[in-house]
Amino acid sequence: MKKTRTVLTVLLAVGFIIGISSCKKYRKYDDGEVVENTFTGNFDVGSTGSNPGGDFTGNGDSGVYSFVWDNSSSKAELNYDITTSGGSVTFVLKDAKGNEVLNETRSAGSGEDSFSGVSEEGKKGKWLVEITLTNFNGDGSYSLTPIN
């Protein structure tokens, strides 16, 4: 009986620690810090901080560019535009708990080469901005704004 109680106590403690740490998923990263950069094209971050933005170019390049953004609000407005003869760009925003709050793709030949929209509501704090470019041949730009 004592052994069972000890095992249960340990399991509860581990579960509690995991629960707390998941709320601070991107805490170890600084605002604007790159988490992953496997994109073989060019990615130029023009601004960081509360309103990050930048430009990207590719010549049939693929990969992921992701960074942490300290969002002071529970929602975000994303604007992006691409000019491309091939490939696609996907923007994914994840809130401070790691929940996906926006997922938007634009592809060559789809007729829509720009996006302007608002994320779902999420937890304030450090968000992950993940930009996936696939066989991207062209250029684009993006900007993010925290909104209430």
Side-chain angles (χ1 to χ4, degrees), residues 6-28:
T6 303
V7 169
L8 285 175
T9 303
V10 169
L11 288 175
L12 285 172
V14 168
F16 180 74
I17 290 168
I18 289 171
I20 287 174
S21 65
S22 68
C23 293
K24 301 181 188 314
K25 193 162 185 75
Y26 312 111
R27 187 172 88 177
K28 69 180 182 178

Side-chain angles (χ1 to χ4, degrees), residues 2-121:
K2 187 173 182 174
K3 188 174 187 176
T4 302
R5 185 183 306 167
T6 303
V7 169
L8 285 175
T9 303
V10 169
L11 288 175
L12 285 172
V14 168
F16 180 74
I17 290 168
I18 289 171
I20 287 174
S21 65
S22 68
C23 293
K24 301 181 188 314
K25 193 162 185 75
Y26 312 111
R27 187 172 88 177
K28 69 180 182 178
Y29 295 100
D30 292 329
D31 185 37
E33 184 174 350
V34 174
V35 176
E36 179 179 5
N37 184 7
T38 60
F39 182 53
T40 54
N42 182 42
F43 214 99
D44 179 32
V45 178
S47 62
T48 58
S50 63
N51 293 69
D55 301 302
F56 46 90
T57 58
N59 190 18
D61 299 293
S62 297
V64 175
Y65 185 90
S66 64
F67 62 93
V68 170
W69 171 44
D70 198 356
N71 185 359
S72 59
S73 296
S74 59
K75 291 184 180 180
E77 179 179 21
L78 170 65
N79 294 291
Y80 79 94
D81 182 65
I82 60 171
T83 303
T84 181
S85 60
S88 65
V89 179
T90 300
F91 275 79
V92 174
L93 300 180
K94 294 183 180 177
D95 71 1
K97 285 188 173 181
N99 296 321
E100 188 174 286
V101 294
L102 186 136
N103 186 329
E104 197 63 41
T105 300
R106 291 293 180 261
S107 301
S110 68
E112 258 323 297
D113 62 356
S114 63
F115 173 79
S116 182
V118 176
S119 71
E120 295 176 20
E121 190 164 351

